[in-house]
Amino acid sequence: MPNENMHKHENRLAKEKSPYLLQHAYNPVDWYPWGDEAFKKAKAEDKPIFLSIGYSTCHWCHVMERESFEDDEVAALLNRYFISIKVDREERPDVDHLYMAFCQALTGSGGWPLTIMMTPEKKPFFAGTYFPKTERYGYKGMLELLEQVGTLWATNEHKLRESADQIVNAVHTGRSVPNKTSPVSSNPNDTSESIQSWGNNVISQAYSVLDQSFDSHYGGFGSAPKFPTPHTLTFLLRYGEDHPQDRAREILRKTLDGMALGGIYDHVGFGFARYSTDDKWLVPHFEKMLYDNALLALAYLESYQATNFSKDAQIAQEIFTYVLRDMTSPEGGFYSAEDADAEGEEGKFHVWTPQEVEAVLDKELAAKYCAVYDITPKGNFEGKNIPNLLLGNIKQLAQENSLSEEKVLQSLESARQALFNAREKRVHPHKDDKILTSWNGLMIAALAKGAQVLGDTSYLKAAERATDFVLTQLRRSDGRLMARYREGDTAYLGYLDDYAFLIWGLLELYSANGKPEVLQTILELQKQQDSLFFDEEGGGYCLTGSDAEELLFRPKESYDGALPSGNSITALNLLRLARLTGDEHWEQKAQQQLLDFRTVLEEHPSGYTAFIQAIQYALHPSQELILAGSLNSTELPEMRKLFFSEFRPYSSVLYQEGSISDIVPWLHDYPVEPDQTTAYLCENFTCQRPVHELADFQALLNNS
């Protein structure tokens, strides 16, 4: 509802019946509805027409209204240079269809909001969709655009009219619109924003360094020891999607496969060890860390989305099997680590001799298992054997038995289970059973992503249970996060990583379950993080809160080592929050976060691959899906499943089930119908028509 101050701006749209037009009735823009009055005035005053077409449930229509049409500065330019017309596409599909054709002809794409500039005779010379108030991430701003066109009309009106005649003639006759037809550039990327100007260079330099250090024999980077660094792999996945001509995908595939085949992966009980002591991924440091397994599960899940390679999904599922079986407390939190040693010997719990295998399996099955998993009398580790997969032997067995390589491995599942049961009787390595907020946040993110991608509700339940544990046991009554829990004792004020990683986990959880209270908690935690950790003088976020013990100075970390830094993850969290909520505050914080670390990113790009993913997110076209309907409806889970079946790293999902409008006010305009789900898909700042049926939703995704 308009507030009392808005009535001073009441315009002609206040007399209309259209909900969309009424939403703009109190803009300071002197809007006209489509009709003779507007066109007569334009001719009388010799002004061009500014035509804006949208509909009441169009997300980016509302964003453009908030940023520009409610802004006095933009309104002043529109009122000075143009006659401005608002059209509801649902009331006037004829007008919408006509001018959408011009937009598609001029720009190659379309959607809503639709922005047209045209002569008083209704002939367009410029078309586009969403424009921010000021240029941002390469998108021309309304202030600049309106001033440019206003000046052109005043000084070169005949040029704009000639352009309009050519455009109309080309579209009417079905010919392509010639290049440079319009004196006004309609390319949204024709301006250079500061982050864009240096961000793409940082991305390219990071890839170049990784490409040069790539081990083409075994995967990974450099020589021994080799660490998984999953955030480097997820950076490469995004880079490969945008630059298929480079070998990023090859690097990623070789590395993911090399780790999954090698001894760094526990082929008997699942889960990854911390790192490989050799360059072949064969001999691990046998310690298992919760954070490695969380981040690697995310990497394999994203790779599965992008490639549909079933082995990637299997590895992620096996990681979750390990974590939920061995690393989960009775209350639902996740333990931190398992030691490398057992009975004082490194790796003793994990290694085998042929005789130990034969003592568990029958002779034929033992021989087959040993051949496939490299269990030999000589051994590959201090006279014993770390199970790892030998591809040559798998191929040979597959040929001999007329089976696929996958079937050969599946035929050994009973052997693996028997060996696992036997191994369980050994003395186990020490388990570090402290529960850390930060690492739990990472595993919550991984499990929630697993629920999205694989559709397994047990992963979602585990993520929700861990979230409840953290928010109950590791959050004070005043909302302050704490860092560690063990045996009923909660201690240490939470650090930056605790906030950043938990918010990441909750963002993935909200994408998976759509519960508005999750998004509310995210906003509360982010506001608290800003209050406690933001460095007003130096920019970025300090590791310790302003309420923490006073040391010589407050440390600040941005380097992405074995773990991504809290500053890196915060940069991405802020961008995701901006797109979820439409709140400019979060976008401004995100832009500042990127700029604050520009110098270090340019100096050593390959050391900041998690941070660079925030740059990739910022520079990439956005995609927002709004699913309006009951979370318990039958269509909604199917639409969600379809959406997450593909790799969409720059997408946001919002669930309008009614109460979330209190958190994200612009969702008020999206009706919730009890008997159906409506899907609204917006991409690159434009929205497509809403759909209800799964088949229509599939078609919408195929065209996005």
Side-chain angles (χ1 to χ4, degrees):
M1 294 291 294
N3 63 43
E4 58 184 20
N5 294 322
M6 284 181 169
H7 286 281
K8 66 181 181 181
H9 291 309
E10 183 175 290
N11 56 56
R12 294 166 186 81
L13 301 185
K15 298 177 182 179
E16 296 297 309
K17 298 297 184 184
S18 158
Y20 176 62
L21 298 186
L22 289 172
Q23 287 170 357
H24 294 265
Y26 301 97
N27 295 165
V29 178
D30 189 15
W31 289 116
Y32 286 76
W34 182 274
D36 289 342
E37 182 185 3
F39 293 107
K40 287 179 181 177
K41 182 142 178 104
K43 288 178 181 178
E45 298 185 4
D46 189 25
K47 286 183 178 181
I49 300 287
F50 180 90
L51 174 63
S52 178
I53 303 176
Y55 56 99
S56 65
T57 54
C58 166
H59 168 51
W60 286 103
C61 299
H62 298 315
V63 173
M64 195 165 173
E65 180 188 18
R66 285 198 308 272
E67 292 180 345
S68 295
F69 301 143
E70 291 180 356
D71 181 82
D72 289 333
E73 194 175 4
V74 172
L77 291 177
L78 280 169
N79 297 340
R80 180 190 312 162
Y81 292 126
F82 297 87
I83 300 300
S84 300
I85 297 176
K86 258 292 172 190
V87 167
D88 182 339
R89 66 168 288 267
E90 294 170 348
E91 282 193 340
R92 294 299 305 266
D94 53 339
V95 174
D96 174 64
H97 182 80
L98 175 66
Y99 289 102
M100 186 62 73
F102 285 113
C103 182
Q104 290 170 334
L106 279 166
T107 70
S109 62
W112 299 275
L114 178 58
T115 302
I116 301 288
M117 297 184 189
M118 59 187 184
T119 70
E121 295 74 31
K122 307 176 187 177
K123 296 179 179 180
F125 53 80
F126 174 86
T129 51
Y130 161 82
F131 295 91
K133 177 186 174 182
T134 57
E135 64 175 351
R136 185 168 70 242
Y137 297 147
Y139 284 83
K140 180 175 287 187
M142 281 287 288
L143 291 175
E144 176 192 12
L145 183 62
L146 296 175
E147 191 70 59
Q148 179 188 356
V149 175
T151 302
L152 271 172
W153 187 267
T155 58
N156 281 295
E157 180 182 333
H158 69 285
K159 282 279 189 183
L160 291 175
R161 287 184 173 276
E162 285 177 8
S163 171
D165 288 338
Q166 292 175 24
I167 292 168
V168 170
N169 184 54
V171 172
H172 182 65
T173 58
R175 293 185 283 109
S176 298
V177 178
N179 291 335
K180 303 295 184 183
T181 294
S182 175
V184 187
S185 171
S186 58
N187 178 3
N189 294 309
D190 65 347
T191 59
S192 176
E193 174 66 15
S194 56
I195 293 174
Q196 187 179 44
S197 65
W198 60 267
N200 282 317
N201 189 47
V202 167
I203 292 169
S204 298
Q205 287 182 12
Y207 169 73
S208 179
V209 172
L210 293 170
D211 181 46
Q212 292 169 23
S213 62
F214 172 59
D215 180 350
S216 58
H217 291 291
Y218 302 109
F221 307 94
S223 56
K226 280 184 177 174
F227 289 81
T229 53
H231 40 283
T232 293
L233 304 180
T234 50
F235 159 72
L236 286 169
L237 180 56
R238 287 155 176 76
Y239 185 91
E241 291 286 302
D242 293 334
H243 304 86
Q245 73 279 7
D246 291 330
R247 64 169 183 166
R249 293 173 174 174
E250 174 192 339
I251 294 172
L252 176 70
R253 183 77 271 149
K254 185 73 176 179
T255 303
L256 289 174
D257 289 348
M259 293 190 300
L261 294 169
I264 190 175
Y265 187 66
D266 181 353
H267 293 275
V268 174
F270 307 143
F272 281 92
R274 189 174 170 218
Y275 64 88
S276 176
T277 63
D278 64 346
D279 60 353
K280 301 177 182 179
W281 303 109
L282 172 61
V283 181
H285 177 59
F286 291 90
E287 180 183 19
K288 289 181 182 177
M289 310 299 296
L290 181 68
Y291 65 78
D292 279 322
N293 284 283
L295 293 169
L296 282 165
L298 284 162
Y300 280 96
L301 285 167
E302 288 194 343
S303 179
Y304 175 63
Q305 284 181 301
T307 65
N308 204 31
F309 183 51
S310 61
K311 184 65 176 177
D312 289 337
Q314 180 186 336
I315 293 295
Q317 289 168 323
E318 290 176 353
I319 290 173
F320 294 146
T321 296
Y322 159 66
V323 170
L324 296 177
R325 183 192 66 219
D326 294 346
M327 300 296 288
T328 306
S329 74
E331 305 96 332
F334 303 115
Y335 300 136
S336 295
E338 285 190 308
D339 207 336
D341 298 354
E343 300 183 80
E345 293 182 29
E346 183 180 4
K348 184 174 181 179
F349 179 75
H350 295 89
V351 296
W352 298 83
T353 64
Q355 293 78 16
E356 288 171 329
V357 174
E358 291 166 4
V360 178
L361 309 175
D362 66 60
K363 189 172 183 180
E364 182 180 349
L365 188 56
K368 183 178 178 182
Y369 185 89
C370 288
V372 170
Y373 284 95
D374 191 25
I375 311 295
T376 67
K378 180 182 178 182
N380 56 35
F381 176 72
E382 298 178 358
K384 293 192 175 183
N385 298 273
I386 304 166
N388 68 105
L389 283 168
L390 293 178
L391 288 180
N393 288 2
I394 299 172
K395 292 180 187 294
Q396 183 178 337
L397 280 166
Q399 292 171 358
E400 290 175 356
N401 295 277
S402 300
L403 295 171
S404 67
E405 294 173 24
E406 186 177 4
K407 290 290 186 184
V408 169
L409 293 175
Q410 288 175 356
S411 71
L412 290 171
E413 172 56 24
S414 62
R416 184 206 65 80
Q417 187 62 56
L419 292 170
F420 172 78
N421 292 338
R423 197 180 75 172
E424 283 293 281
K425 298 174 184 176
R426 296 177 178 178
V427 177
H428 282 244
H430 167 72
K431 186 174 295 182
D432 184 339
D433 61 358
K434 69 177 178 291
I435 296 172
L436 299 175
T437 299
S438 57
W439 297 3
N440 271 251
L442 297 178
M443 187 51 71
I444 290 167
L447 285 162
K449 176 72 78 171
Q452 297 166 31
V453 176
L454 304 175
D456 192 323
T457 56
S458 69
Y459 301 153
L460 178 58
K461 289 177 182 176
E464 290 176 331
R465 191 163 173 252
T467 298
D468 289 342
F469 176 84
V470 171
L471 295 178
T472 302
Q473 300 297 332
L474 282 152
R475 197 181 188 195
R476 290 191 322 206
S477 58
D478 63 355
R480 180 66 160 96
L481 284 181
M482 305 298 285
R484 188 269 289 154
Y485 173 93
R486 185 171 186 271
E487 295 183 345
D489 179 64
T490 300
Y492 310 113
L493 291 173
Y495 305 99
L496 173 62
D497 291 3
D498 295 302
Y499 281 82
F501 295 174
L502 181 58
I503 290 170
W504 179 10
L506 295 179
L507 283 166
E508 295 298 343
L509 183 60
Y510 175 73
S511 294
N513 72 7
K515 294 182 179 179
E517 59 265 27
V518 177
L519 188 54
Q520 182 64 54
T521 301
I522 292 168
L523 292 168
E524 291 170 3
L525 290 173
Q526 188 60 60
K527 290 172 184 176
Q528 193 175 93
Q529 178 187 319
D530 290 349
S531 173
L532 290 169
F533 297 90
F534 188 68
D535 182 356
E536 295 286 353
E537 295 183 3
Y541 294 81
C542 297
L543 180 64
T544 56
S546 56
D547 56 348
E549 177 186 355
E550 188 171 342
L551 303 175
L552 291 174
F553 58 88
R554 293 173 70 191
K556 188 189 300 179
E557 182 61 81
S558 58
Y559 180 77
D560 299 320
L563 272 167
S565 76
N567 271 298
S568 298
I569 298 305
T570 293
L572 191 52
N573 288 345
L574 289 168
L575 287 164
R576 293 180 67 177
L577 263 182
R579 290 190 184 173
L580 274 173
T581 64
D583 190 334
E584 289 183 54
H585 168 75
W586 301 121
E587 185 173 323
Q588 291 164 1
K589 293 285 291 186
Q591 288 188 55
Q592 191 59 51
Q593 179 76 348
L594 297 179
L595 292 171
D596 284 343
F597 290 92
R598 174 180 175 176
T599 301
V600 295
L601 291 169
E602 289 181 321
E603 287 175 352
H604 185 36
S606 62
Y608 298 89
T609 52
F611 210 121
I612 292 174
Q613 287 176 61
I615 297 177
Q616 290 172 310
Y617 192 99
L619 297 182
H620 208 278
S622 66
Q623 187 179 62
E624 295 86 22
L625 171 65
I626 299 112
L627 293 175
S630 169
L631 294 175
N632 299 317
S633 69
T634 55
E635 298 98 343
L636 191 145
E638 291 301 314
M639 288 182 174
R640 179 169 56 199
K641 180 180 178 182
L642 201 57
F643 190 73
F644 288 127
S645 65
E646 295 183 358
F647 184 51
R648 303 178 186 278
Y650 311 111
S651 298
S652 302
V653 182
L654 272 162
Y655 300 86
Q656 162 60 321
E657 38 55 77
S659 64
I660 196 174
S661 302
D662 297 332
I663 306 169
V664 184
W666 58 264
L667 283 175
H668 273 299
D669 298 310
Y670 290 76
V672 178
E673 301 178 37
D675 55 346
Q676 68 178 354
T677 297
T678 306
Y680 303 86
L681 186 67
C682 304
E683 189 167 25
N684 200 14
F685 308 107
T686 60
C687 299
Q688 304 305 312
R689 62 183 180 85
V691 297
H692 304 288
E693 302 297 329
L694 192 62
D696 293 334
F697 184 55
Q698 174 75 78
L700 204 60
L701 293 177
N702 290 343
N703 293 326
S704 68

